[in-house]
Amino acid sequence: MCGIIACVGADDAVDTVLTGLNNLEYRGYDSAGIAVQNGRGLAIRKRAGEISDLSGSFVESLPQATVGIGHTRWSTHGPPTDDNAHPHTSRSGDVAVVHNGVIANYAALREELEGLGYEFTSETDTEVIPHLVDRYLEDGLDGDAAFRRTVERLEGSYAIAMLIEGENTIRAARQGSPLVVGLHDDAYYLASDVPAFLEFTDRVIYLEDGDVVAVDPTSLSITDLDGEPVERDVDTVDWSPEETGKGGYDHYMLKEIESQPEALSNTIRGRIDPDEPAITLEEFPPGSFEGITDVHFVACGTSYHAALYGARLLDEAGLRVRTSRASEYTGSVPDPEHTLVVAVTQSGETADTLGALRAAKATDARTLALTNVVGSTAAREADDALYIRAGPEIGVAATKTFSSQVVTLVLLAERVRQDVEPATERDDLGALLRALSQLPDQLEEVIRTSRAEALSRAYEGRESYFFIGHRLLHPVALEGALKFKEITYEHAEGFASGELKHGPLALVTPGTPVFAMFDGVHDEKTRTNATEARARGAEIVAITASEQRVEECADEVLVIPDTHPDLSGLLSNAQLQLVSYYTARLLDRPIDKPRNLAKSVTVE
């Protein structure tokens, strides 16, 4: 989950690398560091803490340079300390390396290197890399050969960028961790994510596993581990630099909550026609899913909750559906010829989800990546890709991407059920699509009129917070609880409405807030369990389109516009996101950078 940035040919490598690190801080913020090359040696600064700790006098003494690498860390091997911060160097000080991923055989490599007299100053797995390179340089290999020989010996996942003293060349490689090249007229960039260099260029090359890169101020080469040239397409990213900035907001999370109407407009644009009524997915014309009888969803975290939403829709259409947490997916596909495996992943780089996707592909099941990032590993490795079009999301707590995932899954579910026999066809497709077309405006209304801030003040300091919902509102309850615990650090749990009395009710004490969601159609279980919790002293916050429906069981109400019951969860979700945000702000939590978490979990 660490972030890498590198540049070659930039007028001021120090400033460029620091800019890239700030843009990548959502990938990790335990420690940070920078190394630059100015033709007279390597200069390195690194320390534990946030990237802002690198600014000012700490980097002012760095020399003017046109080549540099940087790193922001999310700790896996060793705690966040100055010694464990990247870049890591060889004993000679001639090699500097930054790394994202996990070197699975580092213990054996470390033992071997210590036997040769190499001393280690950190607890990280990364430090074996510069020592190995140094060893092969001492054996007489040149920089390219020493780097390749080192990469050949590494097991696990990695994205690596390396500098050698006296050379204006950055060497890089990827295996299982993302790495992308940015191309400009007079400079090249390497990064874990496009936002790192988006303000400098929008022309990119997405590297693939096994790619080895050598780039200097005048040239770029991409080869395989054997040194054979490989061709990679140059793509143009349609995100703007403004989308990756805060735009005057205190936190990315609030900006991204409030940008959901625009994100959903992009998600549905050109894909629905309420008058026809029809759904048009360019990638999947009618008949694309003929013969499919089983659908497996694999995902993690917020994406898993979105997958539960889509799975419920297909289950109600009569398909055989299974939803698995990607880390628990066994790859058991009894009928691969008729099975569709859908990997739901915002970044397209989530390690557990990629592992599940590869397990499914090994069975010859058909695979589909539902993701936000064009060119991501999931999009390239799956048989097909469907994009949610949410735009870049920087806040660690996913908000607009969850909404866009759910809406995209609604569209996918309708396409599948129309293609598959004997799935039950929807008799209210026109009503659903009209509601979808109104959803961006309704989300805008929720955001503009929400009482979430006042409610957060009223319920501050409670021991626990519970979230309940029935049918499609169950995954929203799970997501609401996840958002709350992620950024407030308070205890929160989500449950299916009918499950509250089967155990969790024992945790309800007088004053416990219970957020209960109602869609206006499937409300009886929620009303019954909310009433029972209230009888035990809980304070019920109802999220509903009609206060009259809940006046007998609710202490407080968060109102949402009336919509199709299959979509009301998205409006309720926005209210819960705002409750989480304002509660975390009251508690003075680091909302965009919650402790121990990173945006994209690229290591297992």
Side-chain angles (χ1 to χ4, degrees):
M1 284 82 79
C2 307
I4 290 173
I5 176 66
C7 65
V8 177
D11 292 335
D12 184 349
V14 174
D15 185 64
T16 300
V17 170
L18 286 174
T19 297
L21 288 177
N22 278 296
N23 292 342
L24 283 175
E25 197 163 21
Y26 59 91
R27 293 186 64 90
Y29 29 85
D30 290 340
S31 59
I34 179 173
V36 295
Q37 168 74 264
N38 67 348
R40 295 187 298 275
L42 294 176
I44 297 170
R45 300 288 186 277
K46 62 177 186 174
R47 70 188 312 170
E50 298 186 0
I51 291 167
S52 57
D53 295 334
L54 286 178
S55 60
S57 61
F58 196 69
V59 296
E60 283 177 358
S61 60
L62 284 171
Q64 187 75 21
T66 59
V67 181
I69 60 177
H71 187 271
T72 179
R73 183 170 184 249
W74 188 86
S75 302
T76 53
H77 289 74
T81 64
D82 290 354
D83 285 340
N84 287 336
H86 297 214
H88 287 288
T89 56
S90 61
R91 66 181 176 184
S92 65
D94 293 343
V95 179
V97 166
V98 292
H99 162 236
N100 175 32
V102 174
I103 305 303
N105 62 333
Y106 91 97
L109 292 173
R110 177 167 177 154
E111 183 178 359
E112 172 189 323
L113 288 162
E114 286 176 330
L116 295 172
Y118 286 85
E119 294 183 3
F120 285 75
T121 60
S122 79
E123 301 168 69
T124 70
D125 55 337
T126 303
E127 197 179 355
V128 300
I129 301 173
H131 289 322
L132 277 172
V133 173
D134 186 73
R135 172 190 170 183
Y136 295 127
L137 289 173
E138 289 185 352
D139 286 345
L141 298 182
D142 63 18
D144 283 341
F147 183 64
R148 289 181 192 282
R149 182 72 186 98
T150 296
V151 170
E152 286 173 353
R153 299 207 55 197
L154 302 179
E155 298 174 7
S157 64
Y158 52 78
I160 303 166
M162 181 188 76
L163 287 176
I164 297 178
E165 182 174 346
E167 300 183 15
N168 287 329
T169 300
I170 293 176
R171 294 175 177 87
R174 83 155 268 177
Q175 180 67 44
S177 290
L179 198 61
V180 59
V181 178
L183 301 91
H184 194 263
D185 294 340
D186 54 4
Y188 295 98
Y189 306 90
L190 282 157
S192 301
D193 255 343
V194 170
F197 53 68
L198 192 55
E199 59 203 84
F200 305 117
T201 183
D202 61 359
R203 297 172 59 233
V204 303
I205 296 173
Y206 295 98
L207 299 177
E208 299 187 16
D209 284 353
D211 285 353
V212 178
V213 175
V215 58
D216 60 35
T218 61
S219 66
L220 165 72
S221 72
I222 305 174
T223 63
D224 61 20
L225 274 174
D226 296 324
E228 294 298 320
V230 296
E231 295 292 328
R232 296 287 178 248
D233 293 336
V234 178
D235 294 315
T236 300
V237 178
D238 61 1
W239 296 346
S240 69
E242 290 75 18
E243 288 182 275
T244 60
K246 286 185 183 177
Y249 285 86
D250 291 335
H251 299 99
Y252 281 110
M253 184 179 180
L254 184 59
K255 177 192 174 186
E256 288 158 2
I257 289 172
E258 294 192 1
S259 69
Q260 285 178 108
E262 180 183 2
L264 289 191
S265 293
N266 292 333
T267 298
I268 63 176
R269 183 174 294 118
R271 289 174 165 175
I272 65 172
D273 182 347
D275 297 326
E276 190 64 24
I279 291 171
T280 302
L281 298 178
E282 289 185 6
E283 306 89 340
F284 306 103
S288 295
F289 298 105
E290 286 182 0
I292 294 296
T293 59
D294 296 73
V295 180
H296 295 183
F297 289 95
V298 292
C300 301
T302 287
S303 295
Y304 175 74
H305 300 153
L308 289 173
Y309 205 113
R312 180 65 188 238
L313 290 170
L314 286 174
D315 178 70
E316 293 181 355
L319 274 79
R320 294 195 294 264
V321 187
R322 189 170 94 195
T323 308
S324 300
R325 299 184 187 276
S327 59
E328 298 293 324
Y329 186 65
T330 63
S332 173
V333 183
D335 186 9
E337 184 180 355
H338 301 102
T339 299
L340 174 68
V341 179
V342 182
V344 185
T345 163
Q346 184 279 133
S347 66
E349 304 291 350
T350 308
D352 288 323
T353 306
L354 290 174
L357 178 66
R358 290 161 184 159
K361 285 182 67 67
T363 70
D364 292 327
R366 181 175 174 183
T367 57
L368 186 157
L370 191 139
T371 183
N372 194 37
V373 182
V374 177
S376 61
T377 302
R380 293 196 309 270
E381 292 193 5
D383 297 319
D384 299 292
L386 182 58
Y387 296 104
I388 68 173
R389 304 176 180 174
E393 185 176 71
I394 306 301
V396 168
T399 52
K400 67 176 181 174
T401 56
F402 174 76
S403 299
S404 293
Q405 284 175 333
V406 168
V407 168
T408 307
L409 284 165
V410 169
L411 300 179
L412 177 64
E414 288 310 305
R415 164 57 62 233
V416 171
R417 75 190 294 174
Q418 289 173 13
D419 287 350
V420 172
E421 295 288 346
T424 305
E425 288 197 25
R426 181 185 286 275
D427 58 10
D428 63 346
L429 181 59
L432 175 70
L433 298 187
R434 283 191 294 274
L436 267 175
S437 67
Q438 296 164 3
L439 194 60
D441 288 340
Q442 291 182 325
L443 269 171
E444 187 76 48
E445 180 183 345
V446 168
I447 293 164
R448 187 182 69 254
T449 63
S450 177
R451 295 180 53 247
E453 184 173 7
L455 211 64
S456 297
R457 288 195 297 270
Y459 291 113
E460 183 186 1
R462 306 300 171 89
E463 280 189 9
S464 296
Y465 300 78
F466 293 95
F467 301 77
I468 62 172
H470 179 54
R471 190 176 168 266
L472 290 169
L473 296 176
H474 174 217
V476 178
L478 296 174
E479 175 63 12
L482 177 62
K483 283 293 150 288
F484 200 88
K485 67 182 74 174
E486 276 182 319
I487 63 168
T488 70
Y489 308 159
E490 301 298 307
H491 176 245
E493 298 293 342
F495 301 101
S497 296
E499 284 300 299
L500 197 62
K501 59 182 174 291
H502 293 289
L505 197 59
L507 299 174
V508 171
T509 59
T512 299
V514 176
F515 293 84
M517 290 170 284
F518 298 83
D519 65 12
V521 177
H522 312 92
D523 291 342
E524 192 53 37
K525 286 184 184 295
T526 304
R527 183 179 291 106
T528 299
N529 283 269
T531 300
E532 188 168 350
R534 195 182 190 202
R536 269 77 176 172
E539 297 184 39
I540 308 301
V541 180
I543 306 176
T544 178
S546 173
E547 295 187 50
Q548 285 74 34
R549 295 174 186 158
V550 298
E551 57 188 8
E552 295 182 0
C553 69
D555 297 280
E556 296 281 357
V557 176
L558 289 171
V559 178
I560 60 173
D562 195 19
T563 187
H564 192 286
D566 287 359
L567 302 178
S568 73
L570 290 163
L571 300 175
S572 297
N573 179 65
Q575 291 281 23
L576 296 181
Q577 289 173 346
L578 290 167
V579 169
S580 296
Y581 172 80
Y582 286 116
T583 302
R585 198 171 75 174
L586 281 170
L587 295 169
D588 197 28
R589 305 301 194 211
I591 292 171
D592 287 332
K593 295 178 284 187
R595 67 187 177 205
N596 304 330
L597 301 178
K599 181 67 176 172
S600 181
V601 184
T602 57
V603 296
E604 294 186 7

